[in-house]
Amino acid sequence: MGALMAEDDIYIGPLFDLFNLRFGPEQRDVEFDAGGVSEIKALQEEFSIFQEGRPFVESAKLLGLGGLGNNRAKNRWYNVLTWLAKVPSDQDGETGDQRIVNALIKNFGRKSPLPCFMKAHDSRDSAGYGLKVVVREDTPIFYIDRTYLTISVPMAPKVPPAGKDKKKSKKK
């Protein structure tokens, strides 16, 4: 996410994958009692991981959604998730952070919650979602015909500091 993730931008995809696997459809193999969305539902019922007023980043930390392999990338990712409290959402009166937490609380309150999918969209695209968190029920994976609770967070590449291009042109 540009300035927040810096050279660790390469880890954004795997960090989304952690969420998408943990909150995805459960496996139906005999040897597994729980997994995916049904496991998260059980954890939510037992421990109230997602609570109104608790930042999403704190729940993400509890679930290990920052990964284990790179502490710098993990901490930067948590900074991105913290930043979502400053970003608007598609729901009037809710920040991006509140929108995610409230949508997850509502989803896991259902008898059969939807699997969840997190992705990014280009925050610079004013014709698209722009700079806001968007939560929808849709089919975000074209090769899986299943409805998900999709969470789309705004991201953009790192923007060069002001005046940097001017220095290059003067050197020419």
Side-chain angles (χ1 to χ4, degrees):
M1 189 8 236
L4 295 176
M5 289 296 288
E7 63 273 10
D8 291 321
D9 276 351
I10 193 71
Y11 291 100
I12 292 172
L15 291 165
F16 279 139
D17 289 343
L18 282 173
F19 179 93
N20 294 338
L21 290 170
R22 193 79 199 266
F23 288 71
E26 60 279 331
Q27 295 174 319
R28 296 289 184 188
D29 295 341
V30 176
E31 68 266 18
F32 296 114
D33 288 337
V37 69
S38 60
E39 180 180 19
I40 299 297
K41 179 179 175 54
L43 291 170
Q44 175 65 11
E45 288 173 354
E46 179 73 20
F47 301 107
S48 298
I49 294 168
F50 305 103
Q51 293 181 22
E52 190 174 324
R54 176 182 290 159
F56 176 65
V57 67
E58 297 304 321
S59 301
K61 288 176 181 178
L62 180 64
L63 293 170
L65 298 178
L68 300 171
N70 185 320
N71 284 326
R72 183 181 68 195
K74 173 181 71 175
N75 290 323
R76 287 177 173 175
W77 180 242
Y78 290 153
N79 287 339
V80 170
L81 298 181
T82 299
W83 170 76
L84 295 176
K86 298 177 183 176
V87 175
S89 77
D90 61 339
Q91 189 72 35
D92 288 340
E94 288 183 342
T95 67
D97 178 78
Q98 292 168 329
R99 178 73 168 117
I100 293 170
V101 171
N102 292 339
L104 291 172
I105 290 170
K106 182 179 176 184
N107 186 50
F108 291 114
R110 296 176 174 187
K111 182 178 179 181
S112 296
L114 295 172
C116 304
F117 188 82
M118 186 175 280
K119 65 179 188 170
H121 62 268
D122 190 341
S123 65
R124 302 168 299 169
D125 183 5
S126 59
Y129 292 151
L131 183 62
K132 64 182 171 184
V133 170
V134 177
V135 179
R136 298 275 187 260
E137 290 183 16
D138 63 7
T139 52
I141 308 168
F142 73 91
Y143 52 86
I144 299 177
D145 189 21
R146 185 157 183 186
T147 301
Y148 283 73
L149 179 73
T150 304
I151 300 165
S152 190
V153 297
M155 293 192 168
K158 185 175 180 179
V159 178
K164 189 171 185 178
D165 289 336
K166 291 179 184 177
K167 289 179 185 178
K168 284 183 182 179
S169 62
K170 288 182 182 179
K171 288 182 181 179
K172 289 183 181 178

